[in-house]
Amino acid sequence: MMARTLALSVVVCTRERPDDLERCLVALGAQRAPLEVIVVDNAPRTGRTRAVATRAGVRYVVEPRPGLDCARNAGLRAATAPVVAYTDDDAVADPEWAEALLAALDDQSVTAVAGAILPFEIETEAQRLFERYLRGEAGRRDQGKRRIFVAPFPPAAAGHVGAGANMAFRRDALEALGGFDEAFDAGTLTRSGGDTEMFARLLGAGARLVYEPGAVVRHRHRRELRELREQLFGYGVGVYAFWMHRVLRHRDVQAARFAAGTFFRHGGRRLRRSALHRPDELPLALVLAELLGCLYGPIAYLRARRRAGAPPAMQGGSASP
């Protein structure tokens, strides 16, 4: 693939997972496109993350406030390139990852890109079940095809665009919208949803978003069933916190419809399939964990909103460069 003229800042938000972080940084160091790497140490308890970042020769930033979106915003403030990408500390980027993101953003009409997330390993029952979950949730979207998301695609369905372990944005578009909403995602009461909320806000501002399957990271899924239950509960909390946000802040009627339909129709169908031990459905305990998270999501959002204060600008200006 030919070299691209766009420069890229890659932000890795992390908290006390030095082994995962080291693996992530080795992969970023092998990228075929030039980039700067920024490690954001979120509310650190030890100096282990700093030590890994120092050995890797990357930029190191401390964000003392807990919360993934707080860390994402700290990385955004530190970034110097016109394109800012985010990946997780437990993700390993393929060597062509950065080039594929930049290639998608060579189209000046594109504001943000999400890439494919494949498993780093499938060794435990929890990891196999999570892959089954992902096939069920994302099976409606052909992961092998490039997709474009633009109005009239509904912002309330922004979860279909992609996920925070593999996404890139034009920096000025993020800045125009006030950055990520710090009431969302890991480290807060909402547990997830910050990536989806940003994709939704960009869509609402008229942006053109792309899912690019050639931009691949490989994610190390949770290895233990206990961890997987917590993760699925958090997914339920995050998506229903996001829909509550869309209803309250944007008067988004579609969000209310999606919330009701997903819980009663989709959730009810999954409960029945799980009770019948269908081989392509999760065990009942995992299905119930996510549905309980869905019920708690609106409450979590209201509590998190009070803690975080006013959200960033909702529709402040155009999201296009």
Side-chain angles (χ1 to χ4, degrees):
M1 186 180 294
M2 63 183 295
R4 302 288 164 179
T5 58
L6 286 175
L8 179 67
S9 297
V10 178
V11 177
V12 183
C13 303
T14 187
R15 188 170 194 254
E16 304 301 341
R17 298 204 291 194
D19 294 338
D20 281 335
L21 178 63
E22 188 163 20
R23 187 185 304 114
C24 172
L25 295 181
V26 168
L28 292 178
Q31 292 298 298
R32 295 176 182 172
L35 48 84
E36 71 167 347
V37 178
I38 302 165
V39 169
V40 181
D41 198 354
N42 191 207
R45 296 190 300 266
T46 71
R48 295 184 299 168
T49 298
R50 180 190 289 271
V52 171
T54 299
R55 286 197 302 271
V58 302
R59 294 182 62 191
Y60 174 79
V61 174
V62 173
E63 172 48 66
R65 297 172 301 152
L68 178 52
D69 275 1
C70 294
R72 284 169 173 157
N73 284 336
L76 175 63
R77 291 190 294 270
T80 62
V83 174
V84 182
Y86 292 87
T87 190
D88 288 352
D89 57 5
D90 56 0
V92 176
D94 280 8
E96 302 85 4
W97 173 70
E99 280 191 332
L101 293 175
L102 291 173
L105 286 161
D106 271 351
D107 181 345
Q108 293 299 308
S109 72
V110 175
T111 299
V113 181
I117 301 174
L118 303 179
F120 178 73
E121 61 185 14
I122 305 180
E123 297 179 346
T124 70
E125 180 65 11
Q127 291 174 331
R128 285 189 286 272
L129 288 171
F130 187 61
E131 276 298 300
R132 183 186 301 176
Y133 169 82
L134 291 178
R135 286 195 299 272
E137 293 301 302
R140 292 163 292 181
R141 181 176 74 237
D142 187 339
Q143 296 294 290
K145 290 185 178 180
R146 193 174 195 263
R147 290 198 65 191
I148 296 172
F149 301 87
V150 67
F153 187 83
H160 288 272
V161 176
N166 190 355
M167 58 185 186
F169 306 86
R170 297 194 189 277
R171 192 181 74 196
D172 56 1
L174 291 182
E175 292 170 342
L177 293 183
F180 290 88
D181 189 332
E182 295 176 356
F184 283 96
D185 234 301
T188 73
L189 291 169
T190 59
R191 297 187 175 223
S192 63
D195 46 3
T196 302
E197 194 280 329
M198 176 52 75
F199 289 141
R201 214 163 357 126
L202 286 167
L203 286 166
R208 184 182 182 90
L209 280 52
V210 168
Y211 169 76
E212 174 50 67
V216 177
V217 303
R218 301 178 188 275
H219 181 260
R220 186 183 63 78
H221 300 335
R222 308 300 197 274
R223 295 181 63 87
E224 304 296 331
L225 286 173
R226 172 187 55 81
E227 296 175 314
L228 180 57
R229 280 195 300 272
E230 282 294 306
Q231 183 180 14
L232 296 183
F233 176 81
Y235 282 178
V237 174
V239 72
Y240 275 77
F242 162 68
W243 279 329
M244 174 64 82
H245 171 78
R246 291 295 308 177
V247 170
L248 294 182
R249 296 294 306 180
H250 298 271
R251 303 295 186 265
D252 189 340
V253 175
Q254 284 179 311
R257 291 173 180 162
F258 289 164
T262 298
F263 189 83
F264 291 108
R265 290 195 297 274
H266 180 60
R269 182 171 63 250
R270 291 184 60 205
L271 280 174
R272 290 191 298 274
R273 293 172 63 84
S274 181
L276 293 170
H277 303 289
R278 294 287 181 86
D280 56 347
E281 186 54 83
L282 295 182
L284 187 59
L286 296 178
V287 174
L288 287 173
E290 186 174 22
L291 292 177
L292 287 172
C294 297
L295 291 173
Y296 179 60
I299 299 170
Y301 171 73
L302 295 174
R303 294 176 62 194
R305 179 83 282 146
R306 285 196 296 269
R307 290 188 184 184
M314 292 295 104
Q315 303 290 345
S318 172
S320 301

